[in-house]
Amino acid sequence: MRLGVPGSRRAIILGVAALAVAAVIAPALPSYPLTLLTQVAIMAVLAMSLDLLLGYTGLASLGHAAYFGTAAYAVGILSTERQAGFVTCLVAGVVLATITAALFGLIAIRATGQYFLMITLALGMVVWGLAFRWVSLTKGDNGIAGVPRPELPLPWSLSAPLPFFYFALVAAALAWAALGTLARSPFGLTLKGIRESETRMRALGYDVWLHKYLAFVIAGGFAGFAGVLWAWYNGFVSPVDVQLVTSVETLLMVALGGPGTLAGPALGAAAIVFLKNFVSVYTKRWLLILGAVYIGVILFAPRGILGALRSPNR
Amino acid sequence: MTPEFWVTQTFNGLSYGALLFLLASGLSLIFGVMRVVNLAHGSYFMLGGYVGLSVVWRTGSFVLALVAGALALAVVGIFMERVFLRRLPGQTLGQVLMTIGFALIFQDLALLIWGGDPYSIRPPALLSGVVTAGPGRFPVYRIFIVVVAVVIGAALWLALDRTRVGAMIRAAVDDPEMAQGVGIRVPRVSLGVFALGAALAAFGGVVGAGFLGVYPGLDIEILPYAFVVVIVGGLGSLPGAMVGSLLVGLLDNFGKALFPELSYFTLFAPMALILALKPTGLFGRT
Amino acid sequence: MNRVRLVALAVLLAFAAPLAAPPGAPAQSAPIKIGFLAPLTGPFAQIGKDMVNGNQLYLAEIGGQVAGRKIEVIVEDDEGNPATALNKSRKLVDQDKVAILTGGMLANVGYALQPYIDAQKIPSTFPVIAADDLTQRKPAKWIVRTGWATSQPMHPFGEWTLKNTKFKKIAAIGMDYAFGYEIIGGFQQVFEEGGGQIVQRIWAPLNTNDFAPFLAQIRRDADAVLALFTGRLALQFLKQYQEAGLKDKLPLLGGGTLTDETVLPQMGDEAIGVVTALHYSQALDNATNVKFNKAFEASAGKIASYYSEATYTNARWIVEAIKAAGGKVEDRDAMLAALRRVDLKETARGPLRVDDFGNPIQNIYIRKVERVGGKLQNTVIATYPAVSQFWKYKPDEYMKRPLYSRDYPPCKYCQ
């Protein structure tokens, strides 16, 4: 699969346009589509975080939900047991996700290629097992309910759908800006080089292991950011948030939208959220359709939707 | 811990490892020739079980079920490889991602065709019952699983080691370009091995159906086991799959029996150990 | 336009579609919309199907109408996933404007929906979700349970075991999650109060498929084993229990789902003699149940389980409440009050009404698996009438104790 598309300025324009459109039409939307858009914003952050790893560094992870869920649990536990506020939850969630990624990265980055895929799956399952087993902390499969929305010193309460949507949109925009800056920095370019050829980069004197490790940890941190938003959005955290299916769906979002572009995975997140919710209203076979769409896109648009829209004849 | 405990648990670990071998050997082989981790492998196992189930319902023959399951999934494997995977030559990541798409489709198709009830195959009378010998109780079906795994393992080994086809496969695994250069039709070998891997998984699924049953969600549940076996044993290695499955079967079983509080994590202990010592697995190529 | 671009644009358009929300119908003679959540995909798809079929059967029997208004059921797939359930609930409540929300299967779905339902003030019923605490320490105001509470059948079962068997020491083994903790906890509470001893509490992870290491841990000096498994785990456990030679040595007791009718037809001789407790058995011989079973088998092609009876009776419950409210489902407070006041003298499972916390007071049946007419069934061997979720305890005393969990009740007699 050819990853990474040149001409990222087009991606930026597209992304900004999408953000603007979303911000403008939101007040006119009925609340159900609005909540779907909110989900898209949060999932976009998760997908973009994985894109740093997959699209830019060339490492496909099947355990990304682990960092997403860890942060969500941090928020869930702290806000319900300790009445922690906005800043505490945000910082704790992202920090915990980053630490988990730092620990797991030490194990995972040892492996190369396909092993990485399988090991990240196994590590994700360890977190899932913990979520079930550590009942005193996580309440096991019952999950943690009643997670309150954060209270910000703003005139609007985040408990209402529209203000929370803007909150999520701003968060997504910030994440996009941060990841985009990182991707265009020398660090990001090195990652792309590693994706193309590790041996070449090593020969050129780059510390390949360190770059991969950092990408892994940063991706984990941003996944944690998405997890914090998710916990606030749903008001609920459960082991489902760290299960394998969630990791697979994240991977689907990146591959579908266009790896290595950041905007692509955001688009992929939108596509999958809407595909799941729209198609499942009309047919129980939405999973089959999702699989077929996925295969179709990989076959006919190997660089994802964004890649195809941009320059289909490359 | 009584002698009965040790004997029974060792046997249980061995028989579970035998089933894991049937599951994971195909995954390892497929990787060997195609460098693709087939994420639809759990689906092959599950679909094999379902096909076997239908055959048993229709004809009552367990042997026919085994054959039918293996053949059916060999066909599916050929279809997947020829029509889809081959269109992405060299794009290993794309191929892996494509297998995910197939896994989703297979999951839904299985639900559509067989419904959501959990089933199991009643083994033929010959394979039912229990053999007691000394302090141990050995369910006959579990002995059967061990015997089958040993036979299949031996057959695979001999085929790879002694036959011309086996030599071609080994050549294609070692260095596809060279193999192509000396006249080996590598694409055909790849297709053959993919079909074999699928058939092995499906065969394991039918055998497993008599023991674990077959139910929706089996594909996702069994996949981590396959992965841990090949991580421990090394991708692309038959001896790796053998040793890996034995180790995983024994360690998982004993782990759960001796450290029940850590039951959720006993599967990953052997994996963590191997990663610390030899990240490409016991028999993996560095 | 290039083929690839077409494909890409088609996918893009796919997600523009749901933004076009359909308009809602206003008038009073408009249909009564009921939102129905069930797992239609994933590992619980069959149970979801049973639930939908049970609901549909009852509504078909009454002609799909009540109080002069047509009933429209909107079924949504919650995938057995709390986040999806929340999502679909938002769709049902905000977009489809349902008057009543019902369904759901898993405990965590129930806990996830509870704050949403109370915030939205939408009258809801849970026909299957059994998580104890939903109607105990933090009861939801807007939810009425028409099914059961997990530990509800196990309290009388503990007493039954003390009075009708010679079992004094019982080893317990269950699935390592809240449903398991509450089933075994409920039994242990009453059993130990009456002088019995639970000598082991073994928990097996939800993704177990080889029970050998757990069966090896069961103490052979116990008098009996109490097991809790559902679905394919129940199937596998019973088979392996027999293979390990334990069936003949240690009689098996269980939570109702160990032998319920979603798995019983797939079992063999290994299930015979297993004694369980639940608020329903397909083999109940009251007139309503016989009629229900016949109709269900004819329409769904398989025997009824407690899931299908749950939604069948739940549909009747909702219809009776609508009748009592004079068809005015838009008056939510009146609707909720009506839901809490329904009192059915005879249903497929016997008499049914709810307590002040919104949980059923109903018969609990002790059942034994027997082969009758060539088929396995849960023959009822004892009945405890009008059992509440608190058993014989006073509610506030009961709730002073912790919720049954992995560590509660503690295993006093474990070694």
Side-chain angles (χ1 to χ4, degrees):
Chain A
M1 170 174 238
R2 288 194 290 144
L3 304 171
V5 183
S8 56
R9 184 159 303 155
R10 281 244 229 137
I12 297 178
I13 295 176
L14 197 94
V16 170
L19 285 172
V21 167
V24 163
I25 64 171
L29 284 179
S31 66
Y32 177 60
L34 188 63
T35 61
L36 284 185
L37 274 180
T38 315
Q39 263 187 50
V40 168
I42 301 174
M43 286 295 134
V45 176
L46 181 61
M48 290 191 293
S49 75
L50 183 59
D51 195 21
L52 187 72
L53 203 55
L54 170 59
Y56 287 88
T57 324
L59 292 170
S61 163
L62 269 179
H64 212 57
Y67 319 108
F68 176 71
T70 301
Y73 266 109
V75 171
I77 295 167
L78 287 173
S79 61
T80 54
E81 311 255 327
R82 312 270 169 161
Q83 282 69 50
F86 170 66
V87 176
T88 317
C89 284
L90 180 61
V91 170
V94 175
V95 165
L96 197 62
T98 312
I99 293 177
T100 312
L103 278 171
F104 283 178
L106 289 173
I107 304 173
I109 303 289
R110 276 177 78 93
T112 50
Q114 315 283 1
Y115 279 100
F116 180 80
L117 194 77
M118 297 192 291
I119 286 165
T120 49
L121 182 143
L123 289 171
M125 297 226 55
V126 169
V127 174
W128 179 81
L130 272 176
F132 262 101
R133 179 65 189 79
W134 205 342
V135 180
S136 53
L137 190 69
T138 65
K139 309 249 183 317
D141 73 298
N142 271 346
I144 301 176
V147 179
R149 293 264 169 97
E151 307 215 344
L152 293 180
L154 292 172
W156 315 279
S157 162
L158 287 180
S159 303
L162 191 61
F164 191 80
F165 168 69
Y166 283 122
F167 176 72
L169 198 67
V170 167
L174 287 173
W176 183 45
L179 283 167
T181 316
L182 197 67
R184 267 183 300 283
S185 71
F187 177 73
L189 292 174
T190 314
L191 291 181
K192 276 199 191 162
I194 292 174
R195 184 194 68 209
E196 296 303 322
S197 168
E198 269 188 47
T199 40
R200 196 189 310 149
M201 294 307 280
R202 216 171 274 131
L204 287 170
Y206 288 96
D207 187 342
V208 169
W209 182 92
L210 187 63
H211 278 87
K212 292 203 297 194
Y213 180 69
L214 283 175
F216 192 87
V217 175
I218 295 171
F222 275 93
F225 184 52
V228 169
L229 296 169
W230 185 246
W232 282 332
Y233 169 66
N234 273 320
F236 187 79
V237 186
S238 80
V240 167
D241 299 324
V242 289
Q243 70 179 0
L244 178 58
V245 172
T246 310
S247 292
V248 171
E249 269 179 19
T250 315
L251 198 63
L252 288 189
M253 290 176 190
V254 176
L256 202 70
T261 60
L262 285 185
L267 196 70
I272 291 202
V273 167
F274 281 105
L275 211 74
K276 279 178 72 170
N277 286 283
F278 184 56
V279 176
S280 71
V281 170
Y282 291 96
T283 167
K284 281 189 292 191
R285 308 265 75 86
W286 61 269
L287 201 64
L288 195 107
I289 293 176
L290 185 67
V293 165
Y294 193 53
I295 292 175
V297 168
I298 294 184
L299 266 184
F300 301 118
R303 279 165 302 143
I305 302 174
L306 202 69
L309 278 182
R310 194 170 293 159
S311 41
N313 288 322
R314 290 271 199 103
Chain B
M1 298 294 151
T2 63
E4 186 205 329
F5 170 80
W6 290 106
V7 169
T8 320
Q9 280 309 106
T10 309
F11 174 71
N12 285 326
L14 278 173
S15 58
Y16 195 58
L19 187 63
L20 291 181
F21 172 71
L22 290 173
L23 166 70
S25 52
L27 185 67
S28 200
L29 281 173
I30 288 175
F31 178 83
V33 270
M34 299 188 62
R35 300 283 184 271
V36 168
V37 174
N38 177 23
L39 285 159
H41 204 72
S43 317
Y44 288 163
F45 184 85
M46 182 182 73
L47 285 174
Y50 273 125
V51 168
L53 190 74
S54 288
V55 170
V56 166
W57 283 344
R58 278 290 155 80
T59 69
S61 163
F62 188 61
V63 173
L64 204 60
L66 287 167
V67 171
L71 277 178
L73 270 300
V75 169
V76 170
I78 290 174
F79 175 69
M80 247 179 84
E81 205 275 341
R82 204 83 202 37
V83 179
F84 291 95
L85 293 175
R86 195 165 290 194
R87 290 193 196 222
L88 307 172
Q91 299 171 43
T92 52
L93 188 59
Q95 290 175 331
V96 168
L97 295 174
M98 186 176 266
T99 59
I100 296 182
F102 274 104
L104 295 177
I105 293 180
F106 289 149
Q107 188 179 82
D108 211 28
L109 273 179
L111 189 64
L112 186 66
I113 300 175
W114 286 281
D117 285 320
Y119 294 113
S120 67
I121 293 181
R122 260 170 214 279
L126 184 67
L127 299 175
S128 314
V130 182
V131 167
T132 32
R137 280 184 67 91
F138 308 104
V140 176
Y141 198 75
R142 287 207 186 220
I143 300 178
F144 166 66
I145 299 178
V146 175
V147 168
V148 165
V150 168
V151 166
I152 300 254
L156 282 173
W157 183 299
L158 286 171
L160 279 178
D161 211 46
R162 301 288 161 84
T163 67
R164 222 170 131 245
V165 175
M168 290 201 294
I169 293 176
R170 276 183 291 124
V173 168
D174 274 344
D175 192 336
E177 278 174 21
M178 269 311 270
Q180 188 89 359
V182 299
I184 294 174
R185 311 265 280 281
V186 172
R188 195 167 283 189
V189 169
S190 291
L191 184 65
V193 173
F194 200 91
L196 177 65
L200 272 172
F203 190 82
V206 181
V207 171
F211 164 62
L212 326 161
V214 55
Y215 49 90
L218 174 61
D219 51 349
I220 295 192
E221 278 185 15
I222 208 80
L223 202 56
Y225 286 91
F227 281 11
V228 172
V229 168
V230 294
I231 290 174
V232 168
L235 274 170
S237 157
L238 185 65
M242 289 173 178
V243 174
S245 50
L246 266 182
L247 265 179
V248 172
L250 284 167
L251 283 173
D252 191 43
N253 247 271
F254 273 108
K256 287 183 160 75
L258 295 172
F259 307 106
E261 294 301 297
L262 299 174
S263 293
Y264 271 105
F265 311 107
T266 50
L267 179 62
F268 305 108
M271 183 195 85
L273 209 68
I274 289 299
L275 285 174
L277 300 173
K278 191 166 185 265
T280 47
L282 289 171
F283 291 81
R285 44 194 65 230
T286 28
Chain C
M1 198 196 257
N2 179 280
R3 165 172 62 130
V4 173
R5 281 200 154 157
L6 226 98
V7 166
L9 271 179
V11 177
L12 268 176
L13 281 174
F15 72 80
L19 291 178
Q28 182 73 338
S29 59
I32 296 176
K33 293 196 196 163
I34 300 179
F36 193 97
L37 288 168
L40 299 175
T41 53
F44 308 105
Q46 192 57 46
I47 291 177
K49 207 160 159 207
D50 271 2
M51 287 170 65
V52 170
N53 286 343
N55 185 64
Q56 251 170 13
L57 182 65
Y58 183 76
L59 293 177
E61 279 178 10
I62 61 163
Q65 286 209 47
V66 66
R69 296 172 70 174
K70 190 164 160 294
I71 300 176
E72 191 185 312
V73 176
I74 305 173
V75 178
E76 288 293 347
D77 182 5
D78 71 10
E79 297 165 36
N81 175 335
T84 312
L86 270 171
N87 215 30
K88 297 293 169 73
S89 300
R90 290 186 193 111
K91 171 190 176 282
L92 289 167
V93 173
D94 296 338
Q95 180 163 296
D96 299 325
K97 309 254 187 287
V98 298
I100 297 170
L101 189 64
T102 188
M105 186 221 144
L106 294 176
N108 52 29
V109 166
Y111 282 120
L113 290 178
Q114 182 188 10
Y116 176 76
I117 288 173
D118 274 353
Q120 295 293 316
K121 298 197 179 28
I122 177 119
S124 308
T125 68
F126 282 169
V128 173
I129 296 173
D132 272 2
D133 227 7
L134 282 171
T135 53
Q136 291 178 5
R137 293 159 195 81
K138 288 172 292 199
K141 179 163 183 266
W142 288 85
I143 303 175
V144 173
R145 257 217 268 254
T146 60
W148 58 309
T150 311
S151 55
Q152 189 172 7
M154 303 309 287
H155 298 133
F157 195 23
E159 186 181 280
W160 181 89
T161 308
L162 283 166
K163 296 213 169 107
N164 294 279
T165 72
K166 295 204 177 54
F167 305 147
K168 278 281 171 290
K169 299 201 288 194
I170 294 185
I173 176 170
M175 288 158 78
D176 198 346
Y177 74 148
F179 189 70
Y181 312 148
E182 290 172 10
I183 289 270
I184 289 177
F187 184 92
Q188 182 175 352
Q189 179 69 38
V190 176
F191 189 65
E192 286 190 337
E193 258 176 20
Q197 296 181 356
I198 297 290
V199 294
Q200 272 183 312
R201 281 163 58 102
I202 302 171
W203 305 111
L206 297 178
N207 54 4
T208 305
N209 35 49
D210 188 359
F211 290 93
F214 302 101
L215 295 171
Q217 295 172 43
I218 295 179
R219 279 172 56 168
R220 303 307 196 251
D221 65 332
D223 301 323
V225 169
L226 174 70
L228 186 276
F229 293 98
T230 61
R232 61 99 177 163
L233 288 154
L235 216 60
Q236 289 164 337
F237 176 78
L238 281 179
K239 211 146 88 125
Q240 295 180 28
Y241 191 77
Q242 186 183 48
E243 263 175 11
L246 289 169
K247 184 99 193 306
D248 306 313
K249 293 205 204 107
L250 291 172
L252 195 55
L253 309 170
T257 56
L258 190 66
T259 60
D260 80 72
E261 290 80 11
T262 48
V263 285
L264 197 58
Q266 283 86 261
M267 293 180 175
D269 289 346
E270 67 269 12
I272 295 180
V274 178
V275 180
T276 59
L278 199 64
H279 58 286
Y280 177 71
S281 163
Q282 182 260 347
L284 279 168
D285 57 5
N286 65 63
T288 318
N289 193 40
V290 170
K291 179 165 160 277
F292 162 64
N293 267 287
K294 237 206 235 149
F296 188 83
E297 281 180 51
S299 72
K302 61 199 285 269
I303 64 170
S305 64
Y306 93 88
Y307 298 103
S308 28
E309 188 276 334
T311 50
Y312 179 81
T313 301
N314 178 65
R316 179 158 158 217
W317 187 280
I318 292 177
V319 165
E320 294 299 322
I322 295 175
K323 271 196 223 160
K328 296 201 198 57
V329 297
E330 287 75 17
D331 182 346
R332 290 186 170 183
D333 293 292
M335 197 57 235
L336 180 67
L339 279 171
R340 285 184 182 271
R341 272 197 311 259
V342 177
D343 190 337
L344 300 174
K345 296 288 184 245
E346 38 71 40
T347 68
R349 67 177 97 149
L352 183 64
R353 65 182 209 279
V354 295
D355 62 17
D356 296 330
F357 292 80
N359 192 71
I361 299 176
Q362 57 194 339
N363 291 354
I364 296 298
Y365 302 102
I366 311 296
R367 310 121 27 114
K368 187 174 189 172
V369 178
E370 291 182 345
R371 198 180 284 280
V372 172
K375 293 212 186 119
L376 291 176
Q377 68 172 37
N378 286 304
T379 308
V380 175
I381 59 175
T383 304
Y384 284 83
V387 175
S388 93
Q389 58 179 324
F390 302 113
W391 185 226
K392 297 176 178 167
Y393 306 104
K394 287 210 183 50
D396 28 303
E397 271 173 41
Y398 180 91
M399 293 192 286
K400 277 208 197 88
R401 287 196 296 261
L403 183 64
Y404 299 125
S405 71
R406 205 175 198 278
D407 309 306
Y408 188 85
C411 198
K412 293 197 290 244
Y413 305 100
C414 290
Q415 263 130 34

